[in-house]
């Protein structure tokens, strides 16, 4: 089975996939730099899609940092798991991030890199995600 294309998954799941192509290298650099991944001890990625941000996070994160990603799309999650052995990729909603953080022995994370398509989410899901972020992101 070939890796799922972003466009193909967009057509199959338009309510979950908010783009027809993966993020550009420039956008990925901006996102990872803004999240200050280089200084983080615990990093969570929401919606890694095909892994363009995941790859950059793994390159930039400090040695010994704890990193995991949460991807709702099962085809993307399966491909990410094979593409990034040793990285925990959970096939679930980002609103469940706390349980995965706890499974990693953590209460908070230092940063969240988010590739979720906010503009296609309804208010309830946006509010649930904001609540999750406020609950798991280290104060300060």
């Amino acid at each position: 089975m070939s890796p799922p294309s972003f466009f193909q998954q967009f057509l199959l799941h338009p309510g979950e996939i908010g783009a027809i192509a993966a993020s550009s290298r420039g956008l990925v650099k901006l996102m990872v730099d803004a999240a200050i991944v280089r200084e983080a001890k615990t990093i969570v990625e929401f919606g890694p899609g095909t892994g363009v941000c995941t790859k950059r996070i793994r390159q930039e994160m400090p040695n010994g940092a704890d990193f995991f990603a949460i991807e709702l799309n099962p085809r993307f999650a399966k491909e990410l798991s094979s593409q990034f052995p040793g990285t925990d990729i959970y096939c679930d909603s980002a609103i469940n991030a706390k349980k995965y953080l706890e499974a990693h022995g953590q209460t908070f994370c230092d940063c969240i890199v988010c590739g979720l398509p906010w503009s296609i989410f309804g208010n309830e899901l946006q509010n649930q995600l904001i609540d999750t972020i406020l609950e798991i992101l280290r104060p300060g």
Side-chain angles (χ1 to χ4, degrees):
M1 179 185 321
S2 64
S5 77
F6 226 94
F7 185 66
Q8 176 188 37
Q9 291 302 299
F10 171 78
L11 291 175
L12 292 170
H13 308 282
E16 295 172 13
I17 311 294
I20 61 169
S23 299
S24 70
R25 280 185 276 173
L27 177 59
V28 167
K29 179 182 181 339
L30 182 67
M31 289 170 60
V32 172
D33 288 352
I36 316 172
V37 165
R38 287 182 179 172
E39 298 175 19
K41 293 179 181 161
T42 304
I43 306 153
V44 178
E45 183 179 14
F46 289 175
T50 58
V52 294
C53 239
T54 309
K55 181 178 179 180
R56 182 72 183 226
I57 292 167
R58 287 174 42 110
Q59 291 169 347
E60 299 288 333
M61 65 187 226
N63 289 334
D66 191 10
F67 167 57
F68 65 88
I70 304 173
E71 173 56 53
L72 187 61
N73 183 289
R75 291 217 42 213
F76 284 158
K78 183 178 179 182
E79 179 60 29
L80 289 163
S81 292
S82 65
Q83 186 179 353
F84 300 106
T87 298
D88 290 320
I89 310 292
Y90 300 106
C91 186
D92 200 350
S93 170
I95 62 174
N96 297 316
K98 184 178 174 75
K99 78 177 178 181
Y100 299 111
L101 202 57
E102 290 172 349
H104 282 247
Q106 304 293 330
T107 305
F108 299 107
C109 61
D110 300 304
C111 70
I112 298 169
V113 178
C114 181
L116 296 176
W118 286 91
S119 64
I120 68 169
F121 296 155
N123 287 337
E124 183 178 345
L125 180 54
Q126 287 181 2
N127 288 333
Q128 288 174 319
L129 288 165
I130 293 293
D131 289 345
T132 298
I133 290 166
L134 293 173
E135 184 177 16
I136 70 168
L137 196 55
R138 187 175 313 286

